[in-house]
Amino acid sequence: MAATTYDAIIVGAGFSGIYQLYRLRQLGLSVKVVDMAGDVGGTWYWNRYPGAMSDTESFVYRYSWDEDDLQTYPWSHHYVKQPDVLAYLEHIVAKHDLRRDIQFKTELVSATWNKNNSRWQVELEHEGTIQQHNVKYLITALGVLSKPNYPDIPGIDTFSGTLCHTAAWPKDLDLHNKRVGIIGNGSTGVQVITAIAPQVKQLLSFQRHPQYSVPSGDRPVDPSYRAWVNENYPAIMTQVRNSITGFGFEESTTAFEDIPPSDREAILQRLWDAGNGFKFMFGGFSDIATNKTANEAAASFIRKQISNIVTDPEKARKLTPHDHYARRPLCDGGYYASFNHPHVDIVSLQETPITQILPQGIQTADGKTHDLDVIIFATGFDAIEGNYNRVRIRGRNGTTLRDHWAPQGPTSYLGVAVPNFPNMFMILGPQGPFTNMPPALEAHVDLVTDLIAHAESVSAGTGASKPAIEASPQAEATWLRKCDEAAEGSLFKETASWIFGQNVPGKKYALRFYFGGLKKFYEEMEAMKADGFRGFRFGAGDVTGEA
Ligand code: NA7
């Protein structure tokens, strides 16, 4: 079968892949984007469960590079819901005529580096047909959270009702008047529970760990607020890039201990009233995520709210967390209050774990069978490397990415490149910034575009047509060290969650993000470029040797 040649293949047509296509076209490269989905959207294509929304405020949950669009594109509420995000991405794709380079229902099967011609040999499957391509650059924009995590519960296949994962939501699932069980209460579970509680006949949350969540503060957008945002958009986007979390608010620089004890409660109350999980964690004190005393103050404030909101003391007890407040911060539109409905309850899996799924429902360790019509898995994702591990990506000397990552978990240089995998770039790969996603992925796409532009010019300077670029092992090791330093003292390290890989049995505990913040990430990128793209080797033809 004859292979088609492109300059680049981008895998993934979500936020990252769309912007990467836009940028590589600006370089004049021939590009093809592929995605397993039937249309654009990535995460937002698949996650169509009730209540799905971004918990970043609307004004910064979008691209910063289309200034005209920032001014004119409408958003009705302080948060964008899943259909809004999808409509926004479809709009961007149409506006910039990007669709003609995207092929849907197409899966990356394998990619093999051929050092003889400095090309990736890429195998795709499109509706049962294998397609071969030779490309200079392979860019994986697979998404951080895209491989669903299905826990291995005995009897899972025997359930006679409807069983689904939130990331593969059945189109016409009608929950009205149904007895519904939901396993998992992370960001997703909290959103689903809040959305479906009013419509179902019975709702049981099978909860392993209770969660800290604060109000989102969602409400319709007032025209004067939108006018203020529009007037200030350039400054807002600059502030985002100079912040830690990129959520569009000023993070506090004042430590908990430096605020008089008599003022602390009022600050927490103000944050609670204003809404937003990241703002609650980072907006009032600089050290909630690192100082145990500050963390406990925030945690006990939320515990108090739970006991005020939830009227049934037994439900309140089960919903109240006692560990650190150090998972990805959540916010909601009335999650705890949902449990005041008499038909909504919690099964604490710490007290009565699930023993099996039966045709009629879920059985727990106390011998009880909970009869159900629908079981929803809101059990999250095999984050970061999950999607990479199911594809055969073979770099120099036949090394697979899986092999490279086996000893210590997934690694990279700056979250975008891996030694021994020349001309391959990841958007939001391991050890990328832990922040609001659009600004983080823009940083990565811009970095990858600069690297490719430089590789092209180095190769053009030699008259060769085989640019090659590769991160050095030393650069990867140094970046990993910097990531470790940035996470030093973080209470997130002591709290089990997908961020360190503890949500999937057998997955390696490893640091999967750069915790230094967006501003520092930009500084690292700029310093690397100013220092002649430090840590990367460039050449005409396959690059070996040290940087
Ligand atoms: P999360 O945050 O990983 O949450 C998954 C939930 O599923 C969480 O409550 C888990 O409990 C629970 N879970 C996972 N496996 C099991 C098993 N085997 N039994 C019972 N409960 C289980 O995923 P989300 O989809 O909610 O959110 C992911 C990200 O998407 C989020 O952080 C945002 O960035 C957007 P646990 O707490 O581990 O005990």
Side-chain angles (χ1 to χ4, degrees):
M1 188 190 314
T4 323
T5 301
Y6 291 96
D7 288 322
I9 278 192
I10 299 169
V11 187
F15 253 103
S16 302
I18 291 169
Y19 181 42
Q20 187 67 76
L21 169 60
Y22 176 82
R23 289 301 321 269
L24 291 188
R25 268 206 200 155
Q26 286 179 326
L27 296 186
L29 302 186
S30 61
V31 186
K32 180 183 178 106
V33 179
V34 297
D35 198 303
M36 275 160 68
D39 212 317
V40 296
T43 295
W44 298 101
Y45 176 90
W46 297 107
N47 285 269
R48 294 167 186 251
Y49 58 84
M53 72 169 208
S54 162
D55 61 5
T56 301
E57 290 206 40
S58 307
F59 73 126
V60 285
Y61 201 74
R62 54 201 58 251
Y63 295 120
S64 70
W65 47 269
D66 187 334
E67 288 173 22
D68 161 65
D69 208 71
L70 284 178
Q71 295 291 326
T72 53
Y73 194 78
W75 25 277
S76 65
H77 281 69
H78 279 255
Y79 293 88
V80 270
K81 318 297 173 295
Q82 178 269 341
D84 304 328
V85 185
L86 212 49
Y88 168 69
L89 291 174
E90 284 165 4
H91 151 79
I92 289 286
V93 164
K95 181 176 175 188
H96 296 281
D97 187 25
L98 298 171
R99 195 173 279 275
R100 64 184 155 89
D101 289 328
I102 310 178
Q103 181 179 305
F104 297 108
K105 297 185 180 162
T106 304
E107 192 170 355
L108 173 65
V109 178
S110 69
T112 309
W113 175 249
N114 181 347
K115 78 181 178 63
N116 298 322
N117 63 0
S118 296
R119 293 281 189 275
W120 280 96
Q121 225 170 292
V122 176
E123 199 174 71
L124 305 173
E125 187 189 332
H126 174 63
E127 297 184 324
T129 308
I130 296 292
Q131 300 175 340
Q132 307 276 358
H133 297 285
N134 278 320
V135 297
K136 276 197 269 189
Y137 305 106
L138 172 66
I139 299 163
T140 52
L142 304 181
V144 170
L145 298 154
S146 37
K147 181 167 182 246
N149 169 40
Y150 270 103
D152 190 13
I153 301 175
I156 196 165
D157 297 328
T158 66
F159 184 56
S160 62
T162 304
L163 188 145
C164 64
H165 194 285
T166 47
W169 193 261
K171 214 168 161 208
D172 302 316
L173 181 58
D174 181 7
L175 296 176
H176 283 95
N177 227 15
K178 297 273 168 45
R179 295 165 305 169
V180 179
I182 176 163
I183 305 175
N185 54 307
S187 286
T188 304
V190 162
Q191 291 184 344
V192 177
I193 288 167
T194 311
I196 69 175
Q199 43 174 280
V200 299
K201 182 171 171 186
Q202 190 205 357
L203 180 57
L204 277 183
S205 164
F206 291 84
Q207 170 198 277
R208 199 161 62 177
H209 286 96
Q211 286 277 10
Y212 297 100
S213 184
V214 308
S216 65
D218 195 16
R219 61 198 180 283
V221 164
D222 187 274
S224 62
Y225 169 73
R226 179 64 203 253
W228 176 85
V229 169
N230 275 14
E231 269 165 39
N232 291 284
Y233 248 135
I236 287 168
M237 290 307 186
T238 303
Q239 188 278 332
V240 163
R241 279 189 286 274
N242 283 300
S243 68
I244 299 170
T245 61
F247 269 74
F249 64 88
E250 292 287 346
E251 287 105 1
S252 170
T253 51
T254 312
F256 182 77
E257 305 290 352
D258 293 338
I259 292 179
S262 55
D263 295 350
R264 293 171 186 162
E265 175 96 0
I267 291 174
L268 290 167
Q269 186 65 51
R270 254 201 318 279
L271 291 164
W272 174 273
D273 294 340
N276 189 281
F278 274 80
K279 205 183 274 180
F280 189 86
M281 189 177 269
F282 296 98
F285 308 94
S286 61
D287 53 354
I288 284 184
T290 50
N291 169 348
K292 286 190 177 158
T293 310
N295 190 273
E296 178 51 27
S300 82
F301 178 88
I302 300 175
R303 282 184 215 121
K304 205 167 69 194
Q305 305 302 319
I306 298 171
S307 87
N308 289 340
I309 295 168
V310 182
T311 49
D312 177 334
E314 180 58 5
K315 289 184 188 176
R317 182 186 69 79
K318 289 183 183 164
L319 284 168
T320 303
H322 293 282
D323 51 358
H324 294 317
Y325 172 44
R327 291 149 180 245
R328 186 198 182 284
L330 306 188
C331 61
D332 65 82
Y335 168 64
Y336 297 121
S338 303
F339 292 89
N340 288 337
H341 291 291
H343 66 277
V344 183
D345 208 346
I346 311 112
V347 176
S348 165
L349 300 183
Q350 288 178 10
E351 292 165 13
T352 53
I354 295 174
T355 46
Q356 59 176 327
I357 294 182
L358 299 167
Q360 66 273 32
I362 294 179
Q363 192 180 65
T364 41
D366 51 0
K368 223 183 207 169
T369 300
H370 305 274
D371 290 345
L372 300 165
D373 303 310
V374 179
I375 300 177
I376 299 170
F377 282 83
T379 41
F381 300 87
D382 181 353
I384 309 271
E385 70 267 38
N387 255 352
Y388 286 88
N389 283 341
R390 65 182 183 190
V391 181
R392 262 175 297 128
I393 300 181
R394 226 173 254 285
R396 190 191 304 292
N397 309 324
T399 316
T400 65
L401 199 53
R402 209 191 175 111
D403 292 342
H404 181 77
W405 285 347
Q408 53 178 344
T411 50
S412 78
Y413 180 33
L414 291 164
V416 298
V418 182
N420 277 326
F421 294 81
N423 290 18
M424 184 191 114
F425 303 102
M426 304 172 291
I427 309 302
L428 302 179
Q431 288 100 38
F434 182 70
T435 67
N436 177 25
M437 288 292 168
L441 68 90
E442 284 186 4
H444 266 179
V445 168
D446 290 340
L447 170 59
V448 167
T449 308
D450 287 347
L451 288 164
I452 290 178
H454 190 65
E456 290 281 310
S457 75
V458 168
S459 137
T462 63
S465 64
K466 295 177 179 173
I469 172 171
E470 183 176 346
S472 73
Q474 294 81 349
E476 184 187 55
T478 306
W479 182 241
L480 204 54
R481 242 189 342 270
K482 282 193 182 175
C483 289
D484 279 338
E485 281 162 21
E488 202 45 56
S490 171
L491 297 171
F492 278 64
K493 280 169 82 172
E494 299 177 22
T495 314
S497 80
W498 62 267
I499 294 169
F500 285 83
Q502 294 120 307
N503 63 327
V504 175
K507 204 167 163 170
K508 264 210 161 58
Y509 174 87
L511 180 57
R512 285 176 172 75
F513 286 97
Y514 172 63
F515 274 58
L518 211 47
K519 179 174 194 278
K520 284 208 176 127
F521 187 76
Y522 267 100
E523 286 168 3
E524 290 285 350
M525 264 172 32
E526 293 309 318
M528 178 278 294
K529 283 191 278 180
D531 197 10
F533 291 88
R534 183 182 58 223
F536 286 99
R537 302 187 276 248
F538 291 84
D542 197 34
V543 273
T544 48
E546 294 309 308

